[in-house]
Amino acid sequence: MSDDSRPSQAQSSAAAVIPAAGRGVRLGPGAPKALRALNGTPMLIHAVRALAASRAVSLVVVVAPPDGTAEVKTLLDAHALPERTDFLVVPGGDSRQESVKLGLDALPPGYDIVLVHDAARPLVPVDTVDTVIEAVRDGALAVVPALPLADTVKEVEPAARPGDPEPVVATPERARLRAVQTPQGFDRATLIRAHETVTDNVTDDASMVEQLGLTVVAVPGHEEAFKVTRPLDLVLAEAVLARRRLNDGF
């Protein structure tokens, strides 16, 4: 890889960590979720390509299942990926939080911006990736892409038994709510501090930064950056890819 194939140093300091060590039980038995095929190609490869499509991303660290590191390396080697982007595969941990930390630990010096992206969001557009990176470059410590909610949301008291009716206790103001996506972008030092400080089990890395008392900002997300967690999501993802091929020759 020649130096002149990369963006300038000021524009090439972003690295991405993709935790892909989960089993994805909601998709049913079989391969880990990230390795499920989407249009004949593993979702993980789609996700890696989506981040590598940004010229600002010059390194992608894939955190693989502990017993699947060799398989993931083979997958990356077997699929065409941008030559300007470097790739690294490391074994993950027992939780998403631990896997992200292992990916962070593997980052070499020189990357001041870190993206954390769900392998199960294989179709995120490059414009969304670039928007997150630009917000961090403009001074935000933590950035999440997010969409307004279409549905009214109810807060309920969880039922004692699954399937029982649940009493509604509040209706949050929908205009103030957002559905958060990935990639989430961070100042590297802030994200490292969050992982060293927060021990609670959280659902995303931005929540860890919030627990430090720091501000997380939201930028516009995209409807195609949805998370593939159920069989129906796979059908929708296939439809999105078919439309892209038809409209854009993707």
Side-chain angles (χ1 to χ4, degrees):
M1 184 184 304
S2 62
D3 290 340
D4 57 6
S5 68
R6 298 178 181 272
S8 66
Q9 182 59 35
Q11 298 296 313
S12 64
S13 58
V17 174
I18 302 181
R23 301 302 302 182
V25 293
R26 279 176 288 180
L27 279 177
K33 178 165 57 178
L35 304 184
R36 299 292 180 92
L38 177 59
N39 192 35
T41 301
M43 279 199 293
L44 174 61
I45 298 299
H46 286 286
V48 169
R49 285 174 174 167
L51 292 185
S54 171
R55 294 192 63 84
V57 176
S58 53
L59 173 66
V60 177
V61 178
V62 177
V63 187
D67 59 352
T69 303
E71 181 181 1
V72 170
K73 287 180 179 177
T74 299
L75 279 176
L76 291 172
D77 290 339
H79 291 82
L81 299 168
E83 292 186 0
R84 68 174 182 272
T85 309
D86 291 329
F87 301 93
L88 182 63
V89 180
V90 299
D94 294 331
S95 67
R96 182 187 186 280
Q97 191 169 340
E98 184 180 354
S99 292
V100 173
K101 176 64 164 56
L102 290 168
L104 275 174
D105 292 343
L107 288 179
Y111 295 95
D112 299 325
I113 297 173
V114 179
L115 304 179
V116 180
H117 184 59
D118 295 331
R121 297 183 190 270
L123 303 179
V124 59
V126 66
D127 288 350
T128 301
V129 179
D130 288 337
T131 297
V132 170
I133 292 171
E134 285 303 315
V136 181
R137 283 183 175 154
D138 288 343
L141 296 178
V143 181
V144 296
L147 292 177
L149 296 182
D151 297 324
T152 296
V153 175
K154 300 290 185 182
E155 181 182 352
V156 302
E157 184 68 34
R161 296 179 300 178
D164 283 357
E166 297 177 321
V168 172
V169 297
T171 303
E173 184 181 348
R174 188 172 64 184
R176 296 175 61 88
L177 300 176
R178 298 292 183 270
V180 173
Q181 303 174 322
T182 70
Q184 299 182 356
F186 304 90
D187 164 73
R188 178 178 180 169
T190 300
L191 185 57
I192 290 174
R193 178 185 163 200
H195 274 271
E196 290 175 343
T197 305
V198 178
T199 58
D200 296 343
N201 188 21
V202 296
T203 56
D204 72 346
D205 297 88
S207 298
M208 302 173 71
V209 175
E210 290 176 52
Q211 291 191 41
L212 297 180
L214 302 175
T215 299
V216 176
V217 301
V219 297
H222 196 282
E223 61 183 6
E224 292 181 2
F226 62 90
K227 192 172 186 179
V228 177
T229 59
R230 303 161 300 172
L232 182 61
D233 298 326
L234 281 172
V235 176
L236 179 58
E238 293 277 6
V240 171
L241 284 176
R243 191 196 66 196
R244 287 183 179 181
R245 289 194 303 272
L246 182 64
N247 295 343
D248 308 323
F250 177 81

